[in-house]
Amino acid sequence: QVELVESGGGSVQPGGSVTLSCASSGYIDRTYCMTYFRQAPGKDREGVAGVYIGHNSQYYGASARGRFTISQFRDNDKNMITLHMNSLQPEDSGLYYCAASTDKECKIWIQDKYDSWGQGTQVDVSS
């Protein structure tokens, strides 16, 4: 079982920045995808940014591209991802979930492929 611990988030004014972090422990060599998803009130959960563990590529949803940066690194016995979010707008508000997959065939945006989810961290963008 992969355990995910999320940190970061909070309230910020439009144009501000926030950083989210997610630490994944357990099965670290069998974790293949890690992605942030976002759910706003009344909306479906959507993919924000993700990585294939150990690969040097980043994937972004349309609203994140050009403003957000996702990074991955190994810290002792944990896989970690961070999401730097810049130029935030009110429509970026929502509950951000970190997800991890131990499925070798995982696809970044396919939520059914993820078998571990974090508790979620709230981001509120308002003036």
Side-chain angles (χ1 to χ4, degrees):
Q1 181 75 23
V2 173
E3 180 180 356
L4 300 175
V5 177
E6 299 185 61
S7 60
S11 298
V12 64
Q13 292 187 339
S17 301
V18 165
T19 298
L20 306 181
S21 296
C22 178
S24 165
S25 59
Y27 296 105
I28 59 170
D29 292 324
R30 290 168 50 189
T31 299
Y32 299 101
C33 294
M34 288 185 72
T35 296
Y36 273 104
F37 294 87
R38 172 177 70 206
Q39 185 156 30
K43 294 188 177 181
D44 292 335
R45 189 165 56 192
E46 62 177 346
V48 177
V51 294
Y52 290 102
I53 297 299
H55 293 258
N56 192 29
S57 296
Q58 299 80 40
Y59 298 83
Y60 298 97
S63 64
R65 204 168 293 126
R67 299 186 299 129
F68 296 1
T69 302
I70 189 168
S71 303
Q72 63 168 297
F73 57 98
R74 179 71 64 89
D75 181 17
N76 292 326
D77 59 347
K78 294 181 175 60
N79 287 312
M80 298 192 69
I81 58 173
T82 60
L83 182 64
H84 298 285
M85 302 187 291
N86 299 313
S87 302
L88 286 164
Q89 299 301 317
E91 52 267 32
D92 295 313
S93 298
L95 195 57
Y96 284 71
Y97 292 95
C98 173
S101 176
T102 58
D103 185 343
K104 286 185 179 180
E105 303 300 321
C106 61
K107 304 297 181 187
I108 294 294
W109 306 126
I110 306 300
Q111 298 187 36
D112 289 348
K113 291 289 188 179
Y114 290 85
D115 43 24
S116 297
W117 291 80
Q119 76 278 13
T121 186
Q122 185 70 34
V123 174
D124 289 316
V125 185
S126 67
S127 54

